[in-house]
Amino acid sequence: MKRRHFSSLLGSTALASLAALPALADTPVACGVPAARNDGWPAASASEDRLVDRGAMCAMADRLAAAGDANIHAVLVARGGKLVFERYFTGPDEVPGLFSGRRVKNVGFDAGTLHDMKSVSKSVASLAIGVALDRGLIRGVDQPIFSFFPELADLRTPEKDRILLRHVLTMTLGLEWVEATPATGDDNNDEARMNRAADPCRFVLGSLGVAAPAGQEFFYNTGALALVAAVVRKATGRPLDEFAQETLFEPLGIAGVEWARRKGNTDAGGRLAPAAARHGQDRPARPRGRPLERPPDRLQRVDRSLDGTSRQGKLRWA
């Protein structure tokens, strides 16, 4: 029995590019009706939800399929705790290399295909921190980051001593960082240099200059996730992927996860392949989804432990 292992988000840019495409013929009413699978995610029938404009969604999906450069891998729509629409496409994605590393391959996606989720996994990492907080394994988000890394005490400075776990979760460490982008290429950036370093956490906290006081400015920094993964391992005694498997994926019924490790720590900055729509649907902010193993009030405490205020949650990119 195939299980749904991923979903793709269809952004406004992709929608805007479809406007110029010619409309296709009307599609059958059964188009995009999700098949019932034993994956814990109820599927709505074609006639069950009358508020779903299936014709419009099918026309949109047909246009995506006809647009050779759209590179949308899947469209899944969930409403009221049920999957109401799913369509899959073919497009390039990163897959494991033949011998090592990663490579880009044209993939025909279906409900059982693992998907390279990239930085969506940052949201899962933040939830793992929240669970650790809820269990009392981490005292709070205002702990100094160096309290988790006594072996890196030689890197401490008055400026870096102000960096708290909160700043790591909000990417406001104040450290200089060159993120990997198409402009930097694969090698000329701090993410690549961190991955080549013998100790990624030492690289993040010791090899970079201070650009601003901690907590004042946002710098997108995948290196922060190397610190988060190490914090989870140190606090729980288990790698982030194992801790997330027990506390998040299994309670949500998410199977088929592939989450790589680098030098003993989970690669919290990317390459996670779960059912991301389920992760979003079952968060406390989306109460209609099936809850995790702990009562809703405790889940709310997990979210508040991360947020601290009513502001946006930490590392919630998806």
Side-chain angles (χ1 to χ4, degrees):
M1 189 71 73
K2 287 186 176 180
R3 302 171 70 91
R4 301 176 186 89
H5 290 182
F6 74 97
S7 69
S8 292
L9 303 180
L10 183 59
S12 58
T13 302
L15 286 173
S17 68
L18 298 175
L21 293 175
L24 302 182
D26 291 339
T27 52
V29 68
C31 165
V33 175
R37 297 183 176 90
N38 185 27
D39 61 0
W41 199 353
S45 65
S47 59
E48 185 173 346
D49 196 329
R50 296 296 184 181
L51 294 180
V52 175
D53 190 339
R54 194 168 302 280
M57 289 192 291
C58 287
M60 173 269 295
D62 286 341
R63 293 181 183 184
L64 284 174
D69 59 349
N71 195 25
I72 302 297
H73 298 165
V75 176
L76 278 73
V77 179
R79 182 177 181 276
K82 291 186 177 182
L83 189 66
V84 298
F85 181 87
E86 65 176 345
R87 281 281 296 273
Y88 301 92
F89 310 95
T90 298
D93 194 25
E94 279 197 9
V95 299
L98 295 176
F99 302 103
S100 63
R102 311 286 296 179
R103 62 191 174 99
V104 177
K105 177 183 177 182
N106 208 44
V107 178
F109 290 91
D110 62 21
T113 307
L114 295 179
H115 186 280
D116 191 338
M117 299 302 293
K118 296 293 187 183
S119 290
V120 171
S121 60
K122 291 180 170 66
S123 299
V124 181
S126 74
L127 285 177
I129 289 284
V131 174
L133 286 164
D134 185 54
R135 294 184 175 185
L137 301 175
I138 297 174
R139 294 197 305 272
V141 293
D142 290 324
Q143 279 187 252
I145 194 62
F146 278 105
S147 68
F148 297 99
F149 299 95
E151 71 278 13
L152 302 181
D154 58 297
L155 304 179
R156 293 176 59 179
T157 67
E159 294 83 5
K160 292 181 180 179
D161 278 348
R162 298 189 180 97
I163 300 175
L164 310 177
L165 177 58
R166 174 187 303 279
H167 302 141
V168 175
L169 290 167
T170 55
M171 292 190 181
T172 58
L173 294 81
L175 300 178
E176 295 176 346
W177 182 264
V178 178
E179 185 69 19
T181 67
T184 67
D186 292 336
D187 297 318
N188 189 24
N189 58 76
D190 288 321
E191 182 178 352
R193 287 185 277 270
M194 174 188 70
N195 290 334
R196 292 193 296 264
D199 185 339
C201 293
R202 175 172 286 276
F203 176 87
V204 174
L205 292 173
S207 301
L208 308 172
V210 175
Q216 287 196 9
E217 295 188 34
F218 171 86
F219 296 93
Y220 192 93
N221 184 336
T222 294
L225 272 296
L227 302 178
V228 167
V231 166
V232 171
R233 177 179 56 80
K234 286 168 172 281
T236 69
R238 305 172 67 185
L240 170 60
D241 57 304
E242 289 185 6
F243 187 67
Q245 181 70 32
E246 175 208 341
T247 62
L248 295 170
F249 300 147
E250 288 180 2
L252 289 173
I254 295 172
V257 173
E258 291 181 3
W259 206 348
R261 295 181 191 173
R262 291 182 183 273
K263 300 178 175 68
N265 284 317
T266 308
D267 184 5
R271 297 176 179 85
L272 169 69
R278 289 283 303 280
H279 154 57
Q281 185 176 339
D282 287 291
R283 276 181 50 204
R286 316 271 180 84
R288 292 186 178 182
R290 183 167 61 88
L292 301 179
E293 77 277 11
R294 54 184 55 81
D297 62 324
R298 294 191 68 198
L299 275 174
Q300 295 289 353
R301 289 204 303 274
V302 167
D303 250 21
R304 285 197 298 270
S305 295
L306 285 168
D307 294 345
T309 69
S310 59
R311 296 179 301 171
Q312 171 183 325
K314 310 300 185 290
L315 295 178
R316 303 297 173 81
W317 310 121

